[in-house]
């Protein structure tokens, strides 16, 4: 295997997210060691990564400046966690979303790492204060939450434990940028971090509107895909306010009363009742039947769209 001047990264857990991280780190020239409790998972991951990279190359979408073979030569499996972390500069944990399991793994890693390596979790919703509680190396711990599929969606939420050292956040931020991702800092931990809080706010209102018979499920989705989503791929809700008037202050002067009037009509947290779920499901299945083949095909189409959007964004940015 090739050695890399960029440094060595360890992936703990070689499932869906671990594989994506491996590809991203290799694209940035890092040596990657894949570890998993299941040997077969490591073998599957290596095979799957090879196939994915070849397809990306054919589509002209392989990230980084190295060739497929150069990137592949940077990735290897390692069945022994102690050996894997030796000399590593960053460890990215990607095991299933189970607090006790993750805590067990962090305790194990805590006992074998040095003072320099960063210990990072991919968790979607577990709080850093719970995940890293009591670790000797807590200053080196951070959550780096990717968005699925990470190869096409660059955002990474960085969420520190209250005792995480500022240098850990800065180093992780720089590392994410180096591999072409777009890191953002969550200043203080909060349930759902930022992305899922926004996502759940949207889901919540979508559900209420459908439940109250105001809009059909497929028309609701059109409002995002053909409306709000068109601009949100380029500018966020706050910049949208800024641009939709003569700046933010002008927007607030003009529209805050109207917004408050509408916001007061929002209902309580939905129960996500079976009856509404079935109604939504019926509509969704007309477009995408919920058998594995149709779902996989649609996901593939989604990823191709995201890949093209990423290309477009790289051409039009930065302004
Ligand atoms: P997955 O189930 O695809 O992969 C988990 C891997 O961890 C498996 O290969 C499993 O064998 C391995 N594993 C289990 N116990 C282990 C242990 N003790 N030591 C080493 N490896 C072990 O899970 P996935 O989807 O990759 O998720 C991983 C993490 O990423 C979770 O915390 C999840 O919340 C987070 N995440 C997932 C996203 C998604 O959409 N799948 C998006 C963003 C974050």
């Amino acid at each position: 295997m090739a050695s890399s001047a960029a440094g060595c990264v360890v992936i703990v857990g070689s499932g869906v997210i671990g594989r994506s991280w491996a590809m991203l780190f290799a694209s940035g020239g890092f040596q990657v060691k894949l570890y998993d409790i299941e040997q077969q998972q490591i073998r599957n991951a290596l095979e799957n990564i090879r196939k994915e990279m070849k397809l990306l190359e054919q589509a002209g979408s392989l990230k980084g400046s190295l060739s497929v073979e150069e990137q592949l030569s940077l990735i290897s499996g390692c069945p022994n966690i102690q050996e894997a972390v030796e000399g590593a500069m960053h460890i990215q944990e990607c095991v299933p979303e189970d607090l006790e399991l993750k805590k067990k793994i962090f305790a194990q890693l805590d006992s074998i790492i040095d003072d320099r390596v960063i210990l990072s979790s991919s968790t979607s919703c577990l709080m850093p204060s719970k995940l890293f509680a009591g670790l000797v190396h807590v200053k080196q711990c951070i959550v780096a939450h990717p968005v699925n599929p990470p190869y096409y969606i660059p955002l990474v939420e960085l969420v520190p434990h209250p005792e995480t050292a500022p240098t850990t956040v800065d180093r992780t931020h720089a590392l994410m940028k180096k591999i072409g991702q777009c890191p953002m800092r969550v200043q203080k931990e909060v349930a759902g971090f930022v992305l899922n809080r926004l996502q759940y706010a949207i889901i919540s209102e979508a559900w209420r509107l459908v439940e109250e018979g105001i809009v059909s499920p497929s028309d609701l989705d059109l409002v995002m895909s053909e409306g709000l989503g068109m601009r949100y791929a380029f500018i966020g809700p706050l910049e949208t306010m800024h641009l939709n008037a003569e700046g933010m202050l002008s927007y607030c002067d003009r529209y805050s009363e109207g917004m408050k009037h509408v916001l007061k009509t929002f209902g309580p947290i939905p129960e996500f009742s079976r009856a509404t779920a079935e109604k939504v499901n019926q509509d969704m299945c007309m477009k995408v039947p919920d058998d594995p083949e149709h779902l996989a095909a649609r996901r593939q189409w989604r990823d191709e769209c995201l890949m093209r959007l990423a290309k477009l964004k790289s051409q039009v940015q930065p302004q």
Side-chain angles (χ1 to χ4, degrees):
M1 188 188 52
S3 64
S4 163
C8 174
V9 173
V10 177
I11 307 292
V12 179
S14 308
V16 175
I17 293 299
R19 293 167 196 191
S20 288
W21 277 123
M23 289 166 60
L24 287 166
F25 283 116
S27 77
F30 291 89
Q31 191 183 335
V32 181
K33 290 189 198 161
L34 278 174
Y35 169 77
D36 201 286
I37 194 95
E38 301 276 350
Q39 299 308 298
Q40 190 55 42
Q41 277 294 86
I42 301 180
R43 285 192 287 273
N44 292 347
L46 291 170
E47 199 183 305
N48 178 276
I49 288 170
R50 173 171 286 277
K51 274 193 200 143
E52 278 274 316
M53 281 195 180
K54 295 270 181 201
L55 288 173
L56 285 164
E57 187 192 38
Q58 280 164 21
S61 297
L62 188 74
K63 293 193 173 195
S65 53
L66 301 175
S67 69
V68 172
E69 290 308 324
E70 284 168 331
Q71 294 193 27
L72 285 171
S73 76
L74 289 170
I75 307 176
S76 63
C78 186
N80 181 305
I81 187 80
Q82 187 132 15
E83 261 174 44
V85 305
E86 226 176 84
M89 43 110 43
H90 183 96
I91 301 172
Q92 188 69 37
E93 169 276 313
C94 314
V95 304
E97 193 78 339
D98 172 330
L99 179 62
E100 289 315 311
L101 172 66
K102 287 191 194 271
K103 280 180 73 167
K104 211 174 101 192
I105 286 168
F106 283 121
Q108 188 188 4
L109 289 168
D110 195 37
S111 69
I112 55 176
I113 59 170
D114 61 26
D115 293 340
R116 288 164 299 175
V117 65
I118 284 174
L119 209 44
S120 170
S121 173
S122 304
T123 182
S124 307
C125 59
L126 299 172
M127 299 287 243
S129 59
K130 296 238 164 65
L131 272 180
F132 308 130
L135 297 186
V136 174
H137 296 91
V138 64
K139 287 187 177 151
Q140 297 157 235
C141 294
I142 192 164
V143 166
H145 170 227
V147 185
N148 200 35
Y151 204 82
Y152 308 116
I153 304 189
L155 190 85
V156 180
E157 291 184 288
L158 301 182
V159 195
H161 178 281
E163 290 172 58
T164 298
T167 50
T168 299
V169 184
D170 292 345
R171 275 178 57 197
T172 313
H173 193 276
L175 179 65
M176 292 300 138
K177 288 199 84 121
K178 188 140 194 242
I179 60 171
Q181 296 301 86
C182 181
M184 56 75 69
R185 298 165 202 255
V186 180
Q187 313 277 358
K188 272 192 278 182
E189 66 173 22
V190 61
F193 310 148
V194 174
L195 183 137
N196 275 327
R197 287 182 83 87
L198 291 179
Q199 176 163 243
Y200 296 164
I202 291 169
I203 289 176
S204 178
E205 183 54 14
W207 202 267
R208 283 190 295 257
L209 290 169
V210 168
E211 200 152 56
E212 288 171 18
I214 289 164
V215 65
S216 72
S218 27
D219 276 354
L220 183 291
D221 271 358
L222 283 182
V223 174
M224 289 305 290
S225 62
E226 303 300 317
L228 288 175
M230 292 292 287
R231 46 164 100 110
Y232 283 171
F234 296 90
I235 58 171
L238 299 178
E239 191 179 344
T240 296
M241 292 166 79
H242 195 58
L243 298 186
N244 280 1
E246 300 313 311
M248 180 59 79
L249 300 181
S250 138
Y251 188 96
C252 288
D253 286 345
R254 285 189 211 173
Y255 302 119
S256 59
E257 283 310 312
M259 280 193 293
K260 284 196 284 185
H261 176 73
V262 174
L263 285 166
K264 279 180 192 155
T265 68
F266 279 35
I269 297 170
E271 289 300 327
F272 298 104
S273 71
R274 185 76 188 177
T276 308
E278 276 171 8
K279 179 179 165 185
V280 176
N281 189 48
Q282 212 174 24
D283 228 18
M284 295 298 110
C285 287
M286 277 165 64
K287 194 192 255 180
V288 188
D290 58 358
D291 57 83
E293 289 75 28
H294 281 96
L295 289 172
R298 184 70 173 172
R299 283 187 201 111
Q300 198 180 341
W301 172 82
R302 173 202 64 187
D303 290 354
E304 278 165 24
C305 294
L306 290 170
M307 197 161 74
R308 288 193 200 179
L309 182 62
K311 265 191 199 165
L312 175 63
K313 278 172 72 90
S314 71
Q315 286 159 10
V316 297
Q317 279 181 357
Q319 201 206 13

